[in-house]
Amino acid sequence: HLELIAKYISPTLKTRLELKKEKKEKEKTQNDLQLSEFRFNKLTDTLSSAVFIHNRKNFIYLNNAASVISGYTNDELLEIHYSKLVHPEYLMEVEDLEVFLRNLVDNKRFEIKILTKNNEERWLDVNTSTLNLNNSSIIIGTANDITAQKQIENSLNDSNEKYKLLFENSLDAIIIAEAETGIMVDCN
């Protein structure tokens, strides 16, 4: 009788042990996933760059910098279409995000002007990459606020234009020469 009992109990014990082992492995995987997500969130929230994940319809992840840059709360950003952020001058270029990103060169890097929630113009330097996840394509990326740089560039261009106008329209003769060689570089 013991052999018969062992024959029926042994598979049951084995199954219970296997289930217990599977449960521990599942719990470990879940804990590892939660730790990884925690680390990712902590890392991205220390950045001044916006970090985003977009499913080609809406944002599905944003760090705190996205809110600081755009003026929208992260909850608002998760609900709105990306085109609401794009400055009207650039809207046609990014109307179809997938086509726009496919046509980009330079590792999917581009500059774009946006409007914040308060209608303030800001320039962003955006880097994106596409990933296939669970048979769907998602976009991950970063966006840096380069508004101050753009303002400096515009000021420099304005200054150069003013200098050029003064130089070309001056009634006095102006000659520009290299200091070391004395070779004339330009004159009006």
Side-chain angles (χ1 to χ4, degrees):
H1 291 298
L2 289 176
E3 289 177 9
L4 189 58
I5 293 172
K7 182 178 175 183
Y8 289 107
I9 293 178
S10 180
T12 306
L13 286 176
K14 184 177 179 185
T15 304
R16 285 186 180 172
L17 290 174
E18 287 173 351
L19 287 173
K20 211 175 206 183
K21 183 180 176 186
E22 285 177 15
K23 183 179 178 183
K24 281 185 180 182
E25 288 174 1
K26 188 175 180 180
E27 286 173 357
K28 183 184 180 327
T29 302
Q30 189 68 25
N31 289 339
D32 290 347
L33 181 62
Q34 287 174 345
L35 180 60
S36 178
E37 187 175 341
F38 174 78
R39 288 176 177 161
F40 175 79
N41 288 334
K42 281 294 185 188
L43 173 65
T44 60
D45 281 339
T46 64
L47 301 173
S48 59
S49 301
V51 176
F52 62 89
I53 301 173
H54 195 277
N55 66 5
R56 300 191 184 275
K57 292 179 186 141
N58 292 69
F59 293 104
I60 56 175
Y61 171 81
L62 296 150
N63 70 341
N64 291 334
S67 179
V68 172
I69 291 170
S70 71
Y72 290 93
T73 66
N74 279 359
D75 288 338
E76 290 171 323
L77 288 169
L78 291 170
E79 295 295 321
I80 64 174
H81 193 266
Y82 71 89
S83 63
K84 185 170 181 175
L85 297 170
V86 177
H87 191 280
E89 293 173 19
Y90 290 83
L91 201 51
M92 292 302 287
E93 289 182 38
V94 295
E95 193 74 24
D96 185 346
L97 185 63
E98 197 159 338
V99 172
F100 175 73
L101 290 172
R102 204 175 316 131
N103 291 333
L104 282 174
V105 292
D106 189 29
N107 294 327
K108 314 257 189 257
R109 183 176 183 181
F110 58 96
E111 292 180 357
I112 194 160
K113 192 190 302 186
I114 66 163
L115 286 176
T116 66
K117 186 175 182 178
N118 298 328
N119 284 325
E120 178 186 341
E121 292 181 355
R122 293 229 175 136
W123 279 93
L124 300 180
D125 177 27
V126 181
N127 277 296
T128 63
S129 183
T130 41
L131 292 174
N132 287 315
L133 186 67
N134 299 331
N135 292 330
S136 66
S137 181
I138 62 169
I139 300 165
I140 60 171
T142 60
N144 295 297
D145 186 347
I146 58 168
T147 305
Q149 285 174 253
K150 285 292 192 180
Q151 290 168 343
I152 291 169
E153 283 177 23
N154 288 339
S155 294
L156 185 58
N157 288 339
D158 290 347
S159 179
N160 284 341
E161 191 61 35
K162 287 176 188 173
Y163 165 77
K164 184 178 175 184
L165 285 171
L166 285 172
F167 180 77
E168 291 174 351
N169 296 311
S170 175
L171 297 177
D172 295 325
I174 301 174
I175 298 172
I176 300 174
E178 287 186 14
E180 293 176 11
T181 63
I183 296 175
M184 185 171 61
V185 178
D186 203 355
C187 68
N188 63 348

